[in-house]
Amino acid sequence: MQEAIEREVEDINAIIKQRRDKLEILMSEGKNPYEIVKYDKTHHSKDIVEGYCELEGKNVRIAGRLLSKRVMGKASFGHVLDEKGSIQIYVKRDDVGVDEYQEFKKFDIGDIVGVEGIVFTTQKGEISIHAAKVTLLSKSLLPLPEKYHGLKDTDLRYRQRYVDLIANPEVKDVFVKRSKIIKEIRNYLEELGFIEVETPVLNTIAGGATARPFITHHNALDIDMYMRIALELHLKRLIVGGFEKVYEIGRVFRNEGLDTRHNPEFTLLELYEAYTDYEHIMNLTEDLIRTVAHRVLGTGKVTYDGIEIDLDKPFERLSMVDAVKKYSGVDFNEIKTLEEARAIAKERHIEYETRHLKGDILNLFFEQYCEDKLIQPTFITNHPVDISPLAKKQSEDPEYTERFELFVLGREHANAFSELNDPIDQRARFEHQVELKKQGDDEAGDMDEDFLTALEYGMPPTGGLGIGIDRLVMLLTGSVNIRDVLLFPTMKPIQK
């Protein structure tokens, strides 16, 4: 095995040396392949294939990466990969010239080339370009992986996405859909009158969510600052200032673990609408996801890891208490005290910490018994106030809040609530978060005095929503790993 690896390394090194030698020869002949600054294309490969009836016999110019080359004496075939696909080229010595043909024969797989020629169909029926001129636009000094049959090493694919996109062109489809999904989210919200805004990435406190932040230092001010963990508190300041419908799609950062569903930096949509509540936001969320699916995929039914998810059916709605009762048999409506909650947790072998209150224990039951059962889209509503520091209490039962989370495939996809706009209550909630942090909860929030000042000026009744864009893209593209929908996911550096 070791001998085979060593031989492979030797072969690769020999190929790299050969390519560098070719580059030196080109340079010595005054043919620097990196000097060309522009190449005027007329078409992409897909345009030619789909528009063949109109383009047959006409002159076209394409540019892309040489993926294959078969030299057969005085004529050669090859394939060129561009942004939209690949197309065959036919290069004949008598058409391009003797010297130019000799140069083409020395091109390597991976070189960037420009091809000008006539569109035609080969005897085997493949739409192709009969080249009149082939231009080397950039020299590739490294060979494509695995003798050009595709990059299969998952770790290497994520580390070298640029090679992954070359070797596995279908990967690009996911990111094209990602772009379309974000575009259609914007279109949907702007059709409803929402305004897109931008808020600070660097903050002097960590707030808006329960998560461990990344901490950095601002040299000029000589203060520690936090990479934002959410968009919420600045967006709600804008509601105070008179905006009625605002949203932001941006990166947030949480200093947490990595797995198939989590990356330390991810893309979040947050929106806020004045004079409405979480029931309205729930309807908006369902319609937004369904509409985006139809606009991007043409259907409301998506298949994920062999499971069909039906986004066209009305999403189920279930309170957290009812969900826990349904899947665990424990009715928290009957549990009146913290002691009773702790006792039932011990009985069910659910671990809790001394700082956990009754609502925290209810949430632990939900995580243990319910989450993985929520496969089809389900809104879980009415979370306990103990785990919802920014949500408005229910007037009929102040132990719970006007909040929902959307679950699909056993994972959270959205979080929303009727926003807490009572500055007195909000201060008390912040004080509780500060106390939790003192007790060792690294995810607890800080006291945000400026936000409290904003609330004291008065914030109208408001509904807010957060949707993890990456997980939504995973759902709509059938991607089972979050790294498959991030062009450059976070990776541990390779130790050399």
Side-chain angles (χ1 to χ4, degrees), residues 368-383:
Q368 176 72 30
Y369 286 100
C370 306
E371 282 193 5
D372 62 352
K373 311 295 193 309
L374 306 176
I375 304 303
Q376 296 299 322
T378 305
F379 288 118
I380 296 298
T381 66
N382 305 346
H383 295 55

Side-chain angles (χ1 to χ4, degrees), residues 8 12 143-154 156-157 163 167-168:
E8 184 176 349
I12 292 174
L144 296 182
E146 295 187 16
K147 297 181 180 179
Y148 333 123
H149 294 310
L151 183 61
K152 304 303 180 186
D153 185 315
T154 302
L156 189 58
R157 284 181 54 219
V163 182
N168 302 309

Side-chain angles (χ1 to χ4, degrees), residues 20 44 63 161 263 266 271 351 376 393 413 418 476 493:
R20 290 186 177 273
H44 285 95
R161 182 68 81 186
N263 193 70
F266 59 97
L271 64 85
E351 296 183 5
Q376 296 299 322
K393 294 177 182 178
H413 279 73
S418 300
L476 297 183

Side-chain angles (χ1 to χ4, degrees), residues 54-266:
E54 291 78 22
L55 292 173
E56 181 185 12
K58 294 183 179 179
N59 193 71
V60 297
R61 290 165 62 95
I62 67 162
R65 191 177 298 275
L66 188 63
L67 278 191
S68 68
K69 188 180 68 172
R70 291 182 289 120
V71 177
M72 300 178 295
K74 298 178 182 180
S76 300
F77 285 94
H79 280 86
V80 174
L81 175 71
D82 63 19
E83 184 182 43
K84 295 185 178 180
S86 66
I87 192 167
Q88 181 171 262
I89 62 172
Y90 174 62
V91 186
K92 190 176 180 181
R93 186 190 68 179
D94 295 344
D95 295 324
V96 299
V98 175
D99 292 342
E100 289 79 3
Y101 187 66
Q102 289 303 315
E103 289 183 3
F104 171 76
K105 288 166 65 175
K106 296 175 184 177
F107 288 0
D108 290 308
I109 302 302
D111 286 351
I112 307 295
V113 298
V115 181
E116 180 176 357
I118 303 299
V119 178
F120 79 111
T121 303
T122 65
Q123 290 181 348
K124 293 184 178 180
E126 184 170 355
I127 296 172
S128 308
I129 298 174
H130 189 144
K133 186 176 180 60
V134 183
T135 304
L136 180 62
L137 302 177
S138 183
K139 186 68 185 165
S140 173
L141 299 181
L142 292 174
L144 296 182
E146 295 187 16
K147 297 181 180 179
Y148 333 123
H149 294 310
L151 183 61
K152 304 303 180 186
D153 185 315
T154 302
D155 187 73
L156 189 58
R157 284 181 54 219
Y158 299 142
R159 292 183 186 278
Q160 298 184 350
R161 182 68 81 186
Y162 43 91
V163 182
D164 185 30
L165 291 167
I166 298 167
N168 302 309
E170 69 280 0
V171 169
K172 188 180 296 180
D173 294 340
V174 170
F175 295 103
V176 170
K177 284 181 180 175
R178 179 189 176 102
S179 178
K180 291 179 179 178
I181 289 166
I182 294 173
K183 175 184 176 182
E184 292 302 340
I185 289 172
R186 284 191 166 101
N187 289 341
Y188 178 90
L189 294 176
E190 285 165 14
E191 288 165 8
L192 294 179
F194 281 84
I195 296 173
E196 184 173 13
V197 298
E198 295 175 303
T199 61
V201 173
L202 291 174
N203 293 283
T204 54
I205 66 167
T210 52
R212 183 181 295 117
F214 285 95
I215 304 174
T216 186
H217 189 79
H218 191 291
N219 291 332
L221 296 177
D222 193 25
I223 59 171
D224 285 342
M225 300 192 77
Y226 301 90
M227 304 289 284
R228 64 185 181 188
I229 59 175
L231 313 174
E232 180 165 345
L233 298 184
H234 280 95
L235 290 175
K236 288 200 283 194
R237 285 170 167 89
L238 298 180
I239 297 294
V240 171
F243 285 94
E244 294 188 3
K245 292 184 177 182
V246 295
Y247 78 96
E248 181 173 4
I249 298 175
R251 286 290 217 205
V252 296
F253 308 86
R254 298 183 181 180
N255 198 350
E256 300 167 346
L258 296 87
D259 58 31
T260 58
R261 291 185 284 176
H262 296 88
N263 193 70
E265 59 174 308
F266 59 97

Side-chain angles (χ1 to χ4, degrees), residues 155 159 258 483 489-496:
D155 187 73
R159 292 183 186 278
L258 296 87
R483 294 179 177 181
T490 303
M491 304 289 290
K492 185 177 181 180
I494 297 175
Q495 300 297 322
K496 296 185 178 179

